[in-house]
Amino acid sequence: MGFHLVNVLLHAAVCALVVLLVLRLGAPPLAATVGGVLFAIHPVHVEAVSGIVGRAEVLMTLFVLLACFLHLWRSGPVVLRWVGIAACFLAAMLAKESAVSLPLLLVIVDWLDPRRQKPLWRTVWDDAPLYLLLATIFGGYMGLRYAVLTVFSGSTWTPVLAHASALTRIATAISVWPQYLRLLV
């Protein structure tokens, strides 16, 4: 019961962040609340919230939304904001690798931000050190992942997934996106 309760509470926190993020992006309070409620009750979230193993998805979403919210928080020292975003990115990546999409999501959030005063390219350029930091975290994560997913056999290190080529793994990852989109809609 405790595990399920934690998942429900984490999902509630994610839903609250959805409302706050939509408000921050300039939506009226009623629209943000309706969006948050629709997000909360959407059937695609049932598996993530009801199953214990789904906690990885909920945690990843929580940290990605926190990073987006921090990205829109334009007051205070920039370096502290970037460190917070980087910490959220690392936590999200450790929860679930889908968090790799965060840098693109940050650009989209910048594009949607009604308070943006510069052209989008300039905003992204000003945040180039942040994107470099996120790329460094991603590179370190991938190096750690490679080290964990290899086995020493004889005199060489062999990837655990050596039976599937890189092209096959990439094609498989790309082919599931239409299925995810179909389930979401």
Side-chain angles (χ1 to χ4, degrees), residues 113-173:
D113 187 3
R115 295 171 300 127
R116 181 172 40 90
Q117 298 172 352
K118 304 177 205 171
L120 181 61
W121 70 268
R122 181 66 188 180
T123 303
V124 172
W125 179 257
D126 289 347
D127 284 338
L130 169 65
Y131 292 110
L132 183 61
L133 178 59
L134 296 180
T136 304
I137 290 170
F138 176 71
Y141 174 84
M142 291 307 290
L144 180 63
R145 182 181 190 274
Y146 179 80
V148 168
L149 293 178
T150 56
V151 292
F152 188 72
S153 58
S155 61
T156 61
W157 287 92
T158 307
V160 173
L161 300 174
H163 65 278
S165 70
L167 184 60
T168 301
R169 291 188 299 238
I170 291 169
T172 302

Side-chain angles (χ1 to χ4, degrees), residues 9-128:
L9 292 175
L10 285 171
H11 182 64
V14 166
C15 295
L17 277 174
V18 166
V19 172
L20 292 174
L21 189 60
V22 173
L23 282 171
R24 189 82 171 171
L25 289 173
L30 180 61
T33 303
V34 169
V37 168
L38 288 175
F39 182 88
I41 64 171
H42 197 286
V44 78
H45 299 139
V46 169
E47 185 179 344
V49 177
S50 65
I52 307 289
V53 73
R55 184 168 301 164
E57 293 175 26
V58 178
L59 283 172
M60 184 269 306
T61 306
L62 178 74
F63 288 119
V64 164
L65 289 175
L66 276 172
C68 289
F69 196 76
L70 283 173
H71 187 64
L72 288 173
W73 198 286
R74 301 287 182 192
S75 62
V78 172
V79 174
L80 287 179
R81 187 169 51 91
W82 287 349
V83 168
I85 292 168
C88 287
F89 180 59
L90 179 60
M93 285 290 295
L94 290 172
K96 190 164 175 114
E97 292 175 347
S98 305
V100 71
S101 61
L102 177 65
L104 177 61
L105 187 58
L106 294 179
V107 172
I108 293 170
V109 163
D110 276 337
W111 178 57
L112 294 172
D113 187 3
R115 295 171 300 127
R116 181 172 40 90
Q117 298 172 352
K118 304 177 205 171
L120 181 61
W121 70 268
R122 181 66 188 180
T123 303
V124 172
W125 179 257
D126 289 347
D127 284 338

